[in-house]
Amino acid sequence: LTSLSEWVLGETRAKSAMHVATEIDPQTSALFARNPYNTDFENRVAFVASSELARSYTADRTEFLGRNGTLAQPAALRRTRLSGKTGVGLDPCAALQVQMELEPGQEREIAFILGAGQNADHARDLARRFQNLRACREELEKVWAYWGHTLSAVRVDTPEPALNLLANGWLLYQTISCRLWARTGFYQSGGAFGF
């Protein structure tokens, strides 16, 4: 089971990639990433962790994809372990890979956690908390309840079910989370909003 996140930690990947520094936190085994050149968030620490501690990782996207590799067919999926490479000057990513065997009919739940803390201690606390599957499930249920309540404030009913689905959920969610809170959007990442 493999998780891949590409770090930006700034306005654009092209501008910030060379400044992203990655490391493994020895206390939680979470993969930490920071961009000290981003003056607005220089102390923030982003992280990726897993509920399964027996895993391999890399912070090098070039290694993950492989020579002439693509996101559709990354080289990492043809290997049994990732190198454990972290540091600076990489094409930064957070790739975690968990090896497991499942018997016919067997089920297993694993969580990959992507987050950010105010500093390394806060990131460590969050990673430690959410490496517990029960805590992940409880928090996810809170998120569902929050968005269910928030998005129910406006209701659109048309003869077209697809339009209702978009207008009563996805479009409202995108407007609130991306445009108002994150000050970004699919077509513009400048931060401004208004009329």
Side-chain angles (χ1 to χ4, degrees), residues 11-27:
E11 291 176 23
T12 65
R13 186 171 169 75
K15 281 178 159 179
S16 63
M18 71 180 108
H19 304 297
V20 174
T22 57
E23 65 181 332
I24 283 291
D25 176 54
Q27 294 179 36

Side-chain angles (χ1 to χ4, degrees), residues 9 19 21 23 32-47 115-124 126:
L9 306 183
H19 304 297
E23 65 181 332
F32 280 7
R34 63 188 91 213
N35 179 357
Y37 288 91
N38 184 333
T39 56
D40 293 327
F41 303 103
E42 61 188 300
N43 294 320
R44 300 267 176 117
V45 175
F47 67 92
Q118 300 291 331
N119 53 42
D121 288 336
H122 186 227
R124 191 171 292 116
L126 290 169

Side-chain angles (χ1 to χ4, degrees), residues 30-90:
L31 182 57
F32 280 7
R34 63 188 91 213
N35 179 357
Y37 288 91
N38 184 333
T39 56
D40 293 327
F41 303 103
E42 61 188 300
N43 294 320
R44 300 267 176 117
V45 175
F47 67 92
V48 170
S50 165
S51 59
E52 184 70 38
L53 296 179
R55 57 174 169 68
S56 62
Y57 61 88
T58 185
D60 185 3
R61 184 175 173 268
T62 303
E63 172 199 336
F64 185 85
L65 294 178
R67 183 178 176 166
N68 302 321
T70 66
L71 288 172
Q73 293 185 325
L77 297 185
R78 293 187 299 274
R79 289 190 289 247
T80 57
R81 293 195 55 77
L82 299 173
S83 71
K85 189 175 190 179
T86 61
V88 295
L90 304 173

